[in-house]
Amino acid sequence: MAAYDTNNIFAKILRGELPCHKVYEDDHVFAFLDIMPRSPGHTLIIPKAAARNILDISAEDYAHVARGTHKIAGVAMKAFKADGITVQQFNEPAGGQVVFHLHMHVMPRKDGVALLPPASRKEDPKVLEEHARLLIAALASA
Ligand code: AMP
């Protein structure tokens, strides 16, 4: 497996070198909106630790990611009046991974509404701004 690349897009977002629609942050994890959401509210949770994917992250750091994912899934249900949540995480190109800093996808779902295909369209930044606001408000009242 390739080594962790400190210049991957999500590492740059973590360092503040690239913009994002941030939703949540603590000592161990960072959460922001996917710019090509497969459903409204599609959020990515990443560890602050440098980890390519599930194959090189420590169990402890992965547990922090799981905790952050659990938190975002709960508030996304409320913020998007969702009927369910899909959580996905891909590892290595053969496993569908495109960005090589571990990330969990949290996608709010409505009954009978299919996910858009991956990377099908870039969302309007105004819409992402509003969706981040909804999630941040739901986190504040959780
Ligand atoms: P994957 O590695 O297959 O889990 O896919 C990477 C995900 O990152 C895709 O859902 C992309 O839409 C998303 N993505 C790529 N670049 C950015 C970015 N700059 N900000 C937010 N999401 C991104």
Side-chain angles (χ1 to χ4, degrees):
M1 189 170 91
Y4 179 80
D5 174 7
T6 55
N7 280 323
N8 74 76
I9 300 170
F10 295 169
K12 289 182 179 175
I13 286 175
L14 262 181
R15 292 195 294 267
E17 295 167 10
L18 286 177
C20 73
H21 290 90
K22 177 177 153 183
V23 166
Y24 174 75
E25 178 175 17
D26 64 22
D27 287 347
H28 302 285
V29 300
F30 189 90
F32 56 103
L33 294 181
D34 197 297
I35 45 165
M36 291 178 272
R38 299 185 63 193
S39 70
H42 182 169
T43 303
L44 302 174
I45 295 91
I46 68 174
K48 290 191 171 176
R52 182 173 163 93
N53 55 43
I54 201 169
L55 303 169
D56 65 345
I57 194 167
S58 71
E60 194 182 349
D61 285 326
Y62 192 68
H64 288 303
V65 175
R67 192 176 285 275
T69 302
H70 177 263
K71 181 188 280 284
I72 296 298
V75 297
M77 278 294 283
K78 289 187 199 134
F80 291 90
K81 298 181 173 52
D83 300 311
I85 298 282
T86 296
V87 175
Q88 283 187 324
Q89 192 263 314
F90 305 108
N91 301 283
E92 293 300 306
Q97 187 175 12
V98 174
V99 177
F100 297 99
H101 182 109
L102 186 144
H103 50 282
M104 307 292 294
H105 296 260
V106 170
M107 296 173 277
R109 304 295 301 276
K110 294 276 198 190
D111 284 331
V113 180
L115 290 175
L116 289 175
S120 41
R121 75 182 179 91
K122 234 176 164 181
E123 186 55 278
D124 178 345
K126 287 263 175 264
V127 171
L128 292 179
E129 208 172 287
E130 172 60 10
H131 288 176
R133 193 191 64 72
L134 287 175
L135 282 163
I136 290 165
L139 276 162
S141 63

